Amino acid sequence: MSESFGRFRRSDRAVSSTVNYIQVLGIATLLISGLVFVAADIVTDQHDRATTEGLTVVGTQLAAELEATDVLVRSTGGDGTVERTVDLPTVSGGQYSVAISETGVAHEYDLTLTTTGSGHSVTIPFVSDTPVVPASGLDGESLRLVYQGDGTRELEVRDD
C-alpha cells in the first residue's frame, strides 16, 4: 500500500491538466481580445468612410440644387423671385451643418458639410453666376433657397 500511495503522489497528471486548461484559456482570451480590438477599429474606419461618402453625396446634391436655382434665376432675367425648398437626407443617422463661402474666384463657392457629432467635414465646390450670400451654421435637413430680384439680387440659403 505504501508503494501505490507513493506512485500516486509522484504523478503530475492532475496538475498537468489544470495547467494546460489555464494556458488554453489564457491564449484564447488573448486571441479573442485581439480580434475584438481589430474588429472595433475596422468598424470605426467603415463608419468614418460611410460618413464621408454620405456627406459627399449630400453635398453634391445640394451643390446641384444651388446651380439649378442659379439657372432658374438667370431664366427670369434676374427680375423674378425664385424660392425652392431642398430636403436633404441624414448622413449615418446623424445631423450635419452646412456652410457656404466664397473662394475668392469670381462665381465660385465652397459648400462645406460638417457632422455635429464626429466633426467629419467635406467641401464641395460649385459655380453660380448669381451671387450667393455666404452662410454658416445651417441645419442640413431642410433648406430654402431664396432669390428676390427686386432687392439685393443675391441667392440666399436659409434654414426651412
Side-chain angles (χ1 to χ4, degrees), residues 8-93:
F8 182 73
R9 191 167 190 189
R10 283 183 264 149
S11 173
D12 294 333
R13 226 180 209 178
V15 173
S16 176
S17 295
T18 305
V19 169
N20 285 340
Y21 181 71
I22 290 172
Q23 285 177 342
V24 167
L25 280 178
I27 291 169
T29 301
L30 287 174
L31 289 174
I32 290 171
S33 299
L35 289 174
V36 167
F37 286 124
V38 169
D41 286 343
I42 290 172
V43 168
T44 301
D45 289 345
Q46 289 284 7
H47 184 265
D48 290 347
R49 272 186 262 156
T51 302
T52 301
E53 288 177 17
L55 286 174
T56 301
V57 168
V58 171
T60 303
Q61 178 184 353
L62 182 55
E65 293 287 345
L66 286 162
E67 289 175 348
T69 304
D70 174 48
V71 170
L72 284 172
V73 167
R74 286 186 286 140
S75 72
T76 66
D79 295 327
T81 298
V82 176
E83 284 194 38
R84 298 181 67 200
T85 300
V86 180
D87 293 319
L88 301 169
T90 58
V91 174
S92 294

